[in-house]
């Protein structure tokens, strides 16, 4: 079952085509990663889903509610922690959260109870009477997350959620995102940290210039596109057999490096070991990662 | 309670509470200025004028100052709040929430009206230190208060959506409302000023708002009250329709 269905989405800003006729689905209960360089169109897609931007063409359905025809119902399904940390600076943070609950139709008593629960959860309870301008960047990020969770939405959109967080806070947040996901909440995540996407996401969608250049399950994406390196240390300088020269290789200072993908890795390794046999001192396999795959894909497009 | 009503009520409360959070900016300056108007025009200069249109001068200027504060408050609340929220604050919190376009419009407009009414009532309270009076026509006064505050709160929403700079935000109040209020008969009747000024005044929409309010408050009029009322109703409908349409289209709200 799909939480979000995007069909032929196009978004134009005057002369700029920010999103170019893209279609994809986000499955219920998954962590969906939107990756791409700056200006790729990630935030525009999120703004279209949350209705912060109008749609030039196409449709978006959120838990079967069309964001144009059933805009109020669609909004109830979504929680957003935006990239920019902008808050209502007139009020202390506890009031900001209570109001946020109210905007989503939660009665005041319930909204207060959720506020205190979330303030404690995000370690902000002691600061509840402070205004946003009195909080640090990390605290503001946590406040933004608490705000996005006030109405217990089924889908949580986190736009660069760990930006400005220190390493410890980032890892804590990752754990928290995983916990939320285990409770059945669908999470849409944009990030610049590929490590974050690799750690958290089930599905990865790579966007560039408003188009999807890759959309796969994370494991499959890594498996299909990874370029591992078999590094073989040889005893002395040897003329390589013709069969090895057919591979994508580099050979320098008795070190042979062969670039392989995961699928043919074992076969090639066996061939190398068989052909070079006793000339081999040792070998290592350097695993590719999502970050290198991401960079290659972006450069290729 | 209906969730849609809770959404509306929350936004309305937020808007209403916001101006009480910053009284030094939203309430006190207007009331202090009003106090000086009463001191200078009512007592210092007014003591030499004695009566205008058959009433004490201080009492004569009261409805004009009442309308001036009603307009200022009603206009400033939504315009300032929307401008700040759009550019520096929490607009996205509101835009992603399931608040209907009508609720959004009404929350800003009604909160603006209430700020205007608070300032207008403050004007009356200050006036009571200097004079006494009884209201001549309560229903008509309430109708005028409703229409004036509603119209200018709508205007506040429109300018709050349109303005891209603080400078633009203040253009309407500084270059339209303030001059029109002063030329709208706050301090004079059309029969005691030169002809050209009387003519300008009669073409000024705010003159009819002040005239009608003055008639309802103290029973003195300087023009046709009911033509002014019809004109005010038409303006209010046009402004509300424009405001609602802009909110619905997400003008300068949704990219």
């Amino acid at each position: 079952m799909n939480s979000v269905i995007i069909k032929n989405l196009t978004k134009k800003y005057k002369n700029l085509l920010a999103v170019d006729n893209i279609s994809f689905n986000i499955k219920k209960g998954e962590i969906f990663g939107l990756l791409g360089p700056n200006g790729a169109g990630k935030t525009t897609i999120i703004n279209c889903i949350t209705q912060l931007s109008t749609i030039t063409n196409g449709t978006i359905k959120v838990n079967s509610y069309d964001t144009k025809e059933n805009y109020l119902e669609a909004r109830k399904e979504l929680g957003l922690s935006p990239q920019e940390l902008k808050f209502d600076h007139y009020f202390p943070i506890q009031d900001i959260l209570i109001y946020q609950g109210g905007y989503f139709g939660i009665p005041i008593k319930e909204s207060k109870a959720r506020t205190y629960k979330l303030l404690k959860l995000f370690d902000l309870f002691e600061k509840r009477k402070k205004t946003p301008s009195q909080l640090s960047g990390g605290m503001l990020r946590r406040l933004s997350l608490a705000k996005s969770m006030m109405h217990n939405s089924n889908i949580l959109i986190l736009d660069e959620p760990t930006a400005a967080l220190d390493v410890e806070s980032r890892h804590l947040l990752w754990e928290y995102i995983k916990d939320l996901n285990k409770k059945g909440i669908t999470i849409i995540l944009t990030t610049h940290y590929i490590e974050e996407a690799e750690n958290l996401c089930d599905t990865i969608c790579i966007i560039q210039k408003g188009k999807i250049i890759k959309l796969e399950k994370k494991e499959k994406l890594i498996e299909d596109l990874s370029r591992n390196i078999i590094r073989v240390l040889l005893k002395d300088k040897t003329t390589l057999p013709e069969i090895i020269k057919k591979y994508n290789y580099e050979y320098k200072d008795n070190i042979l490096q062969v670039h392989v993908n995961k699928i043919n890795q074992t076969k090639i390794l066996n061939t190398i070991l068989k052909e070079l046999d006793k000339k081999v001192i040792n070998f290592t396999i350097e695993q590719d990662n999502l970050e290198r795959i991401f960079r290659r894909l972006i450069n290729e497009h | 309670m209906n969730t849609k009503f809770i959404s509306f009520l929350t936004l309305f409360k937020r808007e209403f509470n916001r101006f009480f959070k910053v009284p030094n900016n939203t309430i006190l300056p207007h009331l202090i200025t009003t106090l000086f108007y009463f001191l200078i025009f009512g007592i210092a200069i007014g003591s030499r004028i004695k009566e205008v249109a058959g009433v004490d001068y201080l009492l004569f200027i009261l409805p004009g100052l009442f309308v001036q504060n009603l307009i200022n408050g009603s206009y400033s609340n939504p315009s300032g709040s929307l401008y700040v929220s759009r550019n520096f604050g929490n607009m996205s919190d509101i835009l992603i929430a399931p608040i209907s376009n009508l609720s959004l419009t009404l929350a800003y407009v009604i909160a603006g009206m209430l700020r205007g009414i608070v300032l207008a009532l403050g004007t009356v309270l200050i006036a009571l230190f200097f004079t006494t009076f009884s209201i001549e026509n309560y229903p008509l006064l309430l109708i005028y208060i409703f229409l004036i505050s509603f119209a200018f709160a709508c205007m506040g929403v429109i300018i709050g959506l349109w303005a891209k700079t603080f400078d633009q935000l203040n253009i309407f109040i500084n270059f339209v409302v303030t001059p029109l209020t002063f030329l709208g008969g706050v301090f004079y009747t059309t029969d005691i000023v030169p002809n050209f000024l009387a003519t300008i005044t009669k073409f000024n929409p705010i003159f009819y708002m002040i005239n009608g309010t003055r008639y309802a408050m103290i029973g003195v009029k300087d023009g046709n009250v009911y033509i002014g009322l019809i004109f005010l109703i038409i303006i209010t409908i046009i402004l509300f329709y424009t405001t609602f349409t802009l909110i619905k289209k997400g003008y300068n709200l949704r990219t």
Side-chain angles (χ1 to χ4, degrees), chain A residues 168-208:
Chain A
E168 194 186 348
S169 305
R170 188 180 299 169
H171 282 266
L172 276 172
L173 188 66
W174 287 359
E175 291 312 309
Y176 194 71
I177 291 171
K178 284 177 187 171
D179 282 347
L180 280 174
N181 183 242
K182 277 179 197 160
K183 288 174 187 162
I185 294 173
T186 306
I187 289 166
I188 304 171
L189 177 86
T190 78
T191 180
H192 275 117
Y193 302 111
I194 309 299
E195 183 198 0
E196 186 164 285
E198 193 166 4
N199 194 309
L200 293 174
C201 297
D202 301 306
T203 303
I204 304 274
C205 179
I206 299 176
I207 309 273
Q208 193 179 26

Side-chain angles (χ1 to χ4, degrees), chain A residues 125-164:
Chain A
F125 191 73
E126 299 301 316
K127 305 278 181 189
R128 66 190 182 280
K129 289 182 180 164
K130 304 270 183 199
T131 58
S133 57
Q134 294 170 298
L135 301 189
S136 69
M139 287 174 184
L140 289 177
R141 183 58 68 186
R142 299 205 299 271
L143 177 63
S144 173
L145 288 163
K147 191 155 57 79
S148 71
M149 289 161 57
M150 268 305 290
H151 61 290
N152 282 346
S153 63
N154 295 313
I155 303 164
L156 202 53
I157 301 178
L158 309 175
D159 196 359
E160 309 277 353
T162 53

Side-chain angles (χ1 to χ4, degrees), chain B residues 85-156:
Chain B
S85 289
R86 276 176 47 225
N87 292 290
F88 309 105
N90 62 317
M91 203 65 230
S92 63
D93 296 346
I94 295 159
L95 294 176
I96 61 165
I99 305 175
S100 70
N101 295 318
L102 184 62
S103 293
L104 192 68
T105 311
L106 288 177
Y108 278 105
V109 169
I110 296 173
M113 289 169 76
L114 279 183
R115 174 164 156 195
I117 290 167
V118 166
L119 290 181
L121 290 177
T123 310
V124 173
L125 284 177
I126 292 169
L128 289 176
F129 286 104
F130 302 95
T131 185
T132 53
F133 70 101
S134 55
I135 303 291
E136 285 288 323
N137 188 336
Y138 273 105
L140 189 64
L141 180 61
L142 290 176
I143 290 169
Y144 264 98
I145 290 172
F146 175 81
L147 290 172
I148 294 168
S149 59
F150 197 94
F152 279 91
C154 287
M155 200 66 219

Side-chain angles (χ1 to χ4, degrees), chain A residues 5-10 22 55 57-61 66-68:
Chain A
I5 300 171
I6 295 179
K7 265 190 192 167
N8 308 113
L9 176 67
T10 298
I22 62 168
I55 295 170
N57 227 328
T59 58
I60 299 176
K61 282 188 176 177
D66 188 288
T67 56
K68 269 186 187 168

